[in-house]
Amino acid sequence: MVQEFRNIKVYQLAFIAAMEIFEITKSFPIEEKYSLTDQFRRYSRSVCTCIGEAYRKRKYPKYFTAKITDADGEATETTIWLDFSHSSKYINTVTFNRLIADYDETGKMLSSMAENPEKFLPKGSDYK
């Protein structure tokens, strides 16, 4: 069992992607600051925060599943901001495709976590 949420592969993947999005959005036009840039950063970071929150409450499988499902939703919303950014020509196609693939993988991992919360229970916990 993973002892720390920062060691979970899905958290690491989401964190790296969020940091890349942060760097990429630094070059977005100023008129996008309070719309696209802010939302894009917020949703990409929220994937990580939901994973961390879920992990801290993992002794409650229903809560864990709900927060992991929230993280999956935030990852999906991030892909929509990727769509807008790519269509607006703020992100090149190579970067877009790589980040989409990363978020697809993130979504698959999060879905598996939501379907199998017992794998993340703290030692000595009973699955209910």
Side-chain angles (χ1 to χ4, degrees):
M1 181 182 70
V2 177
Q3 296 299 317
E4 164 65 44
F5 71 88
R6 288 181 187 90
N7 296 331
I8 301 172
K9 184 178 178 183
V10 70
Y11 175 85
Q12 294 169 352
L13 181 61
F15 186 85
I16 289 167
M19 291 306 299
E20 183 171 358
I21 287 166
F22 173 73
E23 289 301 322
I24 290 167
T25 56
K26 286 180 178 180
S27 66
F28 282 14
I30 193 72
E31 63 267 15
E32 294 287 10
K33 183 176 184 177
Y34 297 109
S35 55
L36 180 62
T37 302
D38 182 57
Q39 293 298 312
F40 200 6
R41 288 176 179 178
R42 185 183 320 247
Y43 284 103
S44 67
R45 291 171 177 169
S46 188
V47 177
C48 299
T49 61
C50 286
I51 293 168
E53 189 175 345
Y55 188 80
R56 294 287 184 198
K57 300 288 187 172
R58 67 193 187 281
K59 68 181 179 178
Y60 307 107
K62 289 180 182 179
Y63 184 86
F64 175 84
T65 300
K67 288 310 289 183
I68 290 297
T69 301
D70 288 347
D72 190 24
E74 301 292 328
T76 299
E77 290 186 56
T78 301
T79 65
I80 295 165
W81 293 113
L82 277 165
D83 290 340
F84 281 113
S85 298
H86 183 250
S87 292
S88 299
K89 309 242 185 296
Y90 302 149
I91 296 179
N92 67 49
T93 300
V94 171
T95 301
F96 171 77
N97 288 336
R98 185 173 32 76
L99 285 168
I100 287 292
D102 287 349
Y103 278 100
D104 284 348
E105 183 65 19
T106 298
K108 289 175 188 173
M109 287 189 264
L110 291 169
S111 291
S112 178
M113 290 172 75
E115 291 170 8
N116 301 287
E118 70 280 359
K119 291 182 180 180
F120 297 90
L121 286 171
K123 215 174 225 178
S125 295
D126 291 326
Y127 179 67
K128 296 174 183 160

